[in-house]
């Protein structure tokens, strides 16, 4: 009996297995609106065998987008376009659909990766960025404006408005993007937050923006719909947040009624390098799970089915998320089920793939 393929319940949402497609920016939207690319891409992943697909970072205000091609949920047009895509995924796919709500902060106004990935230059329609402190992400990056109380309230309200749009669209789960050096993470990190008011300094103060935003969003997301956060649980940088701070933050978010924490890491400055070894976030995810008791997801270089199975079976995390491996093999869930001798839901059009096709492989395994 596979642990990876056992169901899990988050709030009132039942996922058929513990495999999650990690949110992945496609840099292909039109002024924040999803289009045919997203229809094909997310439709494909909705039939990957994963229990849950989380839609890429979807930004709560126009200037909060990372690039000109990033998804947003700040206009009626954004909402209608994404509603069309999600209705399609639910009609044709087997996965539940989640969304990651985000604000890019000082990493906004940047080029798509294939355009260089740096800050937008003159002539590329750059825009002013905001952050807890007026400290750029790295050399040659925009210097953000230090947010005042009005900015903080506006962005918090923007998260709430986008969450309402996400609920109207019919998303099964909402995730707050509190990782990778984007706005909320940059409030938590002493590297990017050097404020001297109630939002900077002590851990309590650095947590305040994330906590207040989570509280405001939780107030409009009904308790039966799971709400969680992705954290950069490790910064991989001297002077950054500590593992103990991550535990304290996770506990505080749990106390605000969040249903899960997703452990990612890194991204606080342009020089930071994230590890590349298999399952590099598993040790911190295990601590979060054991020391807070919140449902925990882990991401990062999880590639093989047996690796994912061991993480869940050994109680190191409740769910695994895969990014690049899902792009490489968009039927990863099917193939993992085959490798682990488990069942995976398949859309009716594809039901003829299954035991008969796999029988020779199973016989070979047995002999
Ligand atoms: C093309 C691409 C886009 C990504 N976009 C996002 C994103 O929108 N939000 C996010 O939290 N992480 C994003 N990530 C990070 C992934 O979700 C994942 O955490 C990371 O790739 C590590 O997992 P992996 O080793 O399975 O790829 C992105 C990664 C890739 C490769």
């Amino acid at each position: 009996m596979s642990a990876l393929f056992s169901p899990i319940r988050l709030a009132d949402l039942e996922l058929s297995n513990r495999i999650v497609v990690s949110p992945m920016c496609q840099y292909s939207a039109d002024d924040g609106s999803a289009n045919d690319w997203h229809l094909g891409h997310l439709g494909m992943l909705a039939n990957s065998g994963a229990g849950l697909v989380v839609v890429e970072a979807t930004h709560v205000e126009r200037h909060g987008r990372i690039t000109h091609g990033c998804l947003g949920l700040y206009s009626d047009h954004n909402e209608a376009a994404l509603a069309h895509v999600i209705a399609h995924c639910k009609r044709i796919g087997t996965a539940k659909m989640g969304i990651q709500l985000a604000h890019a902060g000082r990493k906004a106004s940047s080029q798509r990766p294939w355009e260089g990935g740096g800050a937008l230059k003159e002539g590329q329609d750059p825009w002013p960025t905001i952050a807890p402190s007026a400290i750029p992400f790295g050399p040659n990056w925009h210097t953000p404006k230090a947010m005042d109380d009005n900015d903080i309230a506006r962005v918090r309200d923007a998260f709430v408005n986008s969450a309402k749009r996400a609920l109207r669209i019919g998303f099964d789960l909402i995730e707050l993007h509190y990782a990778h050096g984007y706005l909320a993470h940059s409030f938590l990190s002493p590297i990017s937050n050097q404020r001297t008011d109630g939002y900077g300094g002590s851990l309590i103060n650095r947590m305040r923006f994330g906590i207040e935003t989570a509280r405001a969003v939780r107030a409009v997301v009904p308790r039966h719909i799971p709400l969680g956060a992705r954290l950069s649980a490790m910064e991989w940088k001297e002077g950054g947040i500590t593992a103990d701070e991550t535990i304290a933050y996770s506990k505080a978010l749990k106390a605000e009624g969040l249903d899960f924490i997703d452990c990612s890491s890194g991204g606080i400055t342009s020089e930071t390098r994230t590890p590349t070894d298999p399952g590099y976030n598993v040790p911190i995810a295990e601590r979060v799970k054991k020391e807070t008791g919140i449902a925990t997801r882990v991401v990062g270089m999880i590639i093989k089915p047996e690796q994912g199975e061991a993480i869940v079976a050994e109680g190191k995390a409740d769910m695994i998320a895969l990014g690049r491996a899902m792009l490489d093999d968009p039927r990863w869930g099917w193939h993992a089920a085959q490798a682990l001798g488990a069942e995976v839901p398949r859309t009716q059009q594809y039901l003829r793939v299954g035991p008969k096709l796999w029988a020779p492989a199973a016989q070979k395994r047995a002999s």
Side-chain angles (χ1 to χ4, degrees), residues 21-27 55-59 66 100 113 175 177 179-180 182 230 262 264-265 280-281 299-303 321-327:
V21 178
S22 206
M24 281 181 282
C25 292
Q26 298 298 294
Y27 314 102
V55 170
E56 67 187 84
T58 302
H59 299 93
I66 310 167
Q100 187 184 54
E175 165 171 324
H177 196 352
H180 303 168
Y182 298 111
R230 167 171 271 200
D262 178 35
S264 185
S265 62
Y280 55 87
N281 291 317
V299 71
M301 288 297 273
I302 300 167
I303 295 165
L322 293 89
R324 292 161 293 180
M326 279 287 177
L327 298 183

Side-chain angles (χ1 to χ4, degrees), residues 135-156:
I135 308 169
F137 176 59
N140 301 319
W141 279 81
H142 305 299
T143 301
K145 177 198 165 204
M147 291 166 75
D148 59 25
D149 286 349
N150 288 336
D151 295 318
I152 289 174
R154 188 194 69 241
V155 173
R156 186 196 57 223

Side-chain angles (χ1 to χ4, degrees), residues 37-360:
W37 174 261
H38 304 87
L39 205 64
H41 168 71
L42 292 169
M44 168 181 84
L45 294 171
N47 276 318
S48 61
L52 174 71
V53 172
V54 182
V55 170
E56 67 187 84
T58 302
H59 299 93
V60 300
E61 56 178 19
R62 193 163 187 267
H63 280 189
R65 291 173 306 158
I66 310 167
T67 72
H68 284 295
C70 283
L71 277 185
L73 206 36
Y74 47 80
S75 73
D76 291 347
H77 191 265
N78 292 163
E79 185 179 328
L82 196 55
H84 174 62
V85 170
I86 298 309
H88 165 76
C89 291
K90 291 195 161 197
R91 205 161 41 238
I92 63 139
T94 56
K96 300 291 183 191
M97 299 300 296
I99 185 168
Q100 187 184 54
L101 296 181
H103 192 297
R106 65 182 190 164
K107 292 175 77 173
S109 188
S110 50
Q111 300 160 331
R112 294 171 175 89
W114 53 83
E115 295 164 346
L120 285 173
K121 298 188 169 59
E122 283 310 312
Q124 295 181 321
D125 197 11
W127 63 84
T129 59
I130 54 172
S133 302
I135 308 169
F137 176 59
N140 301 319
W141 279 81
H142 305 299
T143 301
K145 177 198 165 204
M147 291 166 75
D148 59 25
D149 286 349
N150 288 336
D151 295 318
I152 289 174
R154 188 194 69 241
V155 173
R156 186 196 57 223
D157 292 350
F159 268 95
V160 170
N161 287 335
S162 295
K164 287 181 184 163
R165 290 185 187 277
L167 293 170
R168 280 201 294 268
I169 288 172
F171 276 104
D172 300 302
L173 168 148
I174 298 179
E175 165 171 324
L176 303 168
H177 196 352
Y178 280 11
H180 303 168
Y182 298 111
L183 187 65
H185 177 198
S186 71
F187 266 93
L188 186 71
S189 176
I191 294 169
S192 44
N193 181 349
Q194 294 179 8
R195 298 174 75 95
T196 52
D197 65 357
Y199 290 93
S202 66
L203 176 63
I204 290 282
N205 284 356
R206 285 183 282 115
M207 293 196 311
R208 195 177 309 280
F209 174 81
I211 295 293
E212 286 180 354
T213 301
R215 186 179 300 153
V217 174
R218 182 78 272 184
V220 299
V221 176
R223 295 306 298 235
H224 66 273
I225 304 233
L227 173 69
R230 167 171 271 200
L231 304 185
S232 272
M234 301 289 284
E235 287 198 318
W236 314 116
K237 190 161 170 67
E238 195 84 10
I241 54 175
T242 64
D244 286 344
E245 288 184 328
T246 290
I247 304 296
Y249 196 32
S250 303
K251 281 185 183 159
L253 289 167
K254 184 184 178 198
E256 293 299 334
L258 263 55
D259 301 294
F260 66 92
I261 294 289
D262 178 35
C263 291
S264 185
S265 62
I268 195 63
T269 71
S270 63
E271 296 88 36
T272 326
R273 292 290 162 262
T274 303
T276 52
D277 46 312
Y280 55 87
N281 291 317
V282 173
I284 185 66
E286 186 174 7
R287 274 200 65 188
V288 170
K289 176 172 158 62
K290 297 214 161 117
E291 293 178 39
T292 72
I294 197 166
T296 306
R297 201 167 92 201
V298 64
V299 71
M301 288 297 273
I302 300 167
I303 295 165
K304 299 211 165 96
E306 297 74 12
Q307 184 192 3
E309 174 69 21
I311 291 168
V312 178
E314 290 166 16
K316 293 178 173 166
D318 298 293
M319 295 161 278
I320 57 162
L322 293 89
R324 292 161 293 180
M326 279 287 177
L327 298 183
D328 183 49
D329 174 9
R331 301 264 194 253
W332 194 94
W334 291 16
H335 301 146
Q338 180 188 359
L340 299 171
E343 291 294 325
V344 70
R346 259 179 280 263
T347 191
Q348 58 192 359
Q349 292 88 340
Y350 297 161
L351 280 176
R352 287 173 68 180
V353 182
K356 275 191 189 158
L357 181 70
W358 293 350

